[in-house]
Amino acid sequence: MSHIVGAMINRRYFSTRRIFLWIITLTFSWQLLHIIVHMTKTIYQTKEQTRQYWAPLQMFNLNNDSEIASFTNSCELESVSQNARGWQHLNFSHDMNDGGVDINDILRVNSDMKNGSYTPNDCNNTQHVAILIPFRDRETHLKILLKYLLPILKQQKVKFTIFVIEQFGKAVGKNDDFNKGILYNAGFREAMKLNRSFDCFIFHDVDLVPEDDRIPYNCQQDDFPFHMSAGLEKWNYTLPYFKLIGGVLNVQTKVFIKINGYSNNFWGWGGEDDDLSARIFKKNLNISRPDTEISRYAAIPHKWRAWHQRNYNLVYKTKQNNSDKEGLNNVKYKLVRQEHKQLYIHLLVNVGKCPYRNCS
């Protein structure tokens, strides 16, 4: 009898032990399965993020391996800078008054330009720079900028094409319906339609003129956007805050596509440049700048306006940067007219109606 009882106890012991082992095995298997599923999901998400990161490049038939062409030996930037005059303070009183700047004089001096483009004939510069200038009702400023900028570009032997993107329609209120972000995005798209060989784009305010001809207008070798106008005369040639990139900005073509261009949501003055700065840092990029001794710009006199409150709120209060979904990839505009002039390609762009009440 004792043997029977002992056998039953052993069976129960081993059954309990077996069940316990099964529970441990099932728990471990479940955890292992959960880990495998999580790892698979992470790998998929990483691949999807990578695909989304580089997908815009495919939209413009570019790829991650595209590189910036460096200056050839026959067109060295160092040798060009030997003929530079250096910093020179600019006074625009004569250009603004006394009849202003005669466009015919600029045309005559730059007779070697055609369709807004220039190629140096004494060296082989393989870089191609696109310069985008957005404006409305700033014809005087445009002529002044061209007067001072074109000689610098030629002295540096830059191969360039200038695009002037004008917003269609009369200004509403205090120009509250002006949208520089849409103009830049539209200008970029139209430029790429005409020529996909642009290595970099320089986004250039129409009222900023370089005072030092040593500031490089060539494309930069690294991926970091190059903030050229780090020092303005009105700020005593100092940078107000580090993330400021407004004024004149040099960006590689592929980098501008990766950050999805400018936001289209900033109407009126202010905000779009700070939003672009956030887009740059979101992609783990940084901002590079030239030496403070040469990054000096003068602002052509005009009435300065404060940031519009709604634009300030978009940047600093909502703190929502939807750069992956909104920007270059979904910009809406209508190209009213494209005219190839001697000094620049003129793009007249309808950006649509401002969606805010206080735009009218």
Side-chain angles (χ1 to χ4, degrees):
M1 187 71 180
S2 61
H3 295 290
I4 297 174
V5 174
M8 292 177 63
I9 293 174
N10 288 334
R11 287 177 182 175
R12 289 179 181 178
Y13 170 76
F14 284 112
S15 298
T16 303
R17 183 181 179 186
R18 193 173 296 168
I19 293 173
F20 180 71
L21 289 175
W22 285 348
I23 293 174
I24 293 177
T25 302
L26 289 173
T27 302
F28 176 77
S29 300
W30 175 254
Q31 290 178 345
L32 181 62
L33 179 63
H34 179 74
I35 292 173
I36 294 174
V37 171
H38 178 72
M39 290 179 63
T40 304
K41 185 177 180 181
T42 302
I43 293 172
Y44 174 79
Q45 289 177 344
T46 302
K47 288 184 177 180
E48 182 65 15
Q49 289 173 355
T50 303
R51 185 192 68 78
Q52 292 178 358
Y53 187 76
W54 293 111
L57 295 178
Q58 300 173 1
M59 178 174 61
F60 291 91
N61 291 333
L62 297 177
N63 57 66
N64 184 23
D65 298 326
S66 60
E67 295 181 354
I68 299 298
S70 59
F71 274 91
T72 61
N73 291 331
S74 62
C75 202
E76 291 286 351
L77 182 62
E78 289 77 8
S79 62
V80 175
S81 62
Q82 293 177 359
N83 299 320
R85 69 170 190 275
W87 176 72
Q88 183 178 7
H89 178 67
L90 297 179
N91 188 324
F92 302 110
S93 57
H94 176 72
D95 298 317
M96 299 289 291
N97 305 311
D98 302 326
V101 177
D102 190 345
I103 189 64
N104 292 318
D105 292 338
I106 304 178
L107 291 169
R108 183 168 53 254
V109 174
N110 296 282
S111 59
D112 51 356
M113 290 185 63
K114 182 179 180 181
N115 296 325
S117 298
Y118 172 81
T119 301
N121 55 17
D122 56 348
C123 69
N124 180 26
N125 189 348
T126 54
Q127 291 183 351
H128 197 174
V129 181
I131 302 174
L132 304 188
I133 306 173
F135 92 119
R136 180 168 63 179
D137 301 331
R138 295 283 189 91
E139 287 79 6
T140 299
H141 291 178
L142 179 61
K143 289 188 292 184
I144 294 175
L145 174 60
L146 294 174
K147 172 185 174 181
Y148 290 98
L149 179 60
L150 291 176
I152 294 177
L153 295 172
K154 292 183 177 181
Q155 176 185 292
Q156 295 185 7
K157 302 185 184 300
V158 179
K159 179 182 178 182
F160 65 89
T161 301
I162 296 178
F163 295 85
V164 173
I165 310 103
E166 180 180 4
Q167 182 165 326
F168 176 76
K170 295 183 178 180
V172 175
K174 297 180 180 179
N175 215 17
D176 289 330
D177 64 333
F178 187 72
N179 194 311
K180 190 170 73 169
I182 292 181
L183 293 181
Y184 271 144
N185 288 338
F188 181 91
R189 278 185 166 273
E190 295 302 320
M192 292 294 286
K193 289 179 183 178
L194 292 175
N195 189 346
R196 297 183 184 273
S197 69
F198 290 119
D199 295 291
C200 66
F201 280 72
I202 296 180
F203 302 89
H204 209 300
D205 281 0
V206 71
D207 59 351
L208 290 186
V209 179
E211 290 189 316
D212 197 311
D213 56 358
R214 295 171 297 176
I215 178 73
Y217 271 82
N218 61 297
C219 300
Q220 301 301 299
Q221 295 299 317
D222 56 45
D223 288 349
F224 294 162
F226 187 58
H227 185 214
M228 301 168 63
S229 57
L232 296 186
E233 179 190 19
K234 67 172 185 173
W235 294 329
N236 197 26
Y237 305 109
T238 58
L239 190 67
Y241 52 98
F242 175 75
K243 291 186 178 181
L244 174 68
I245 58 171
V248 184
L249 183 68
N250 187 331
V251 186
Q252 286 188 20
T253 303
K254 66 177 183 179
V255 172
F256 188 74
I257 297 171
K258 283 192 291 185
I259 63 177
N260 202 18
Y262 281 83
S263 170
N264 305 305
N265 295 330
F266 290 85
W267 298 84
W269 197 86
E272 68 283 329
D273 294 315
D274 284 54
D275 179 86
L276 185 72
S277 180
R279 290 169 179 248
I280 292 171
F281 285 100
K282 184 178 180 180
K283 294 298 183 181
N284 295 320
L285 296 170
N286 210 329
I287 299 169
S288 64
R289 293 184 174 90
D291 190 280
T292 55
E293 292 297 319
I294 65 174
S295 58
R296 297 188 171 195
Y297 281 76
I300 303 173
H302 68 282
K303 185 177 180 181
W304 289 87
R305 292 186 296 273
W307 274 36
H308 202 291
Q309 184 61 42
R310 63 169 176 267
N311 291 350
Y312 179 88
N313 294 340
L314 275 175
V315 175
Y316 294 109
K317 289 191 176 182
T318 59
K319 294 183 179 180
Q320 294 179 354
N321 186 280
N322 300 317
S323 58
D324 293 329
K325 300 179 181 179
E326 186 274 322
L328 182 64
N329 64 341
N330 71 336
V331 59
K332 294 179 175 59
Y333 66 93
K334 180 179 179 181
L335 182 62
V336 179
R337 183 173 65 247
Q338 180 182 123
E339 185 177 0
H340 291 232
K341 298 186 177 183
Q342 178 181 325
L343 302 179
Y344 54 84
I345 296 177
H346 181 215
L347 303 174
L348 185 60
V349 174
N350 188 340
V351 301
K353 186 178 180 181
C354 174
Y356 301 105
R357 290 183 179 179
N358 49 0
C359 282
S360 58

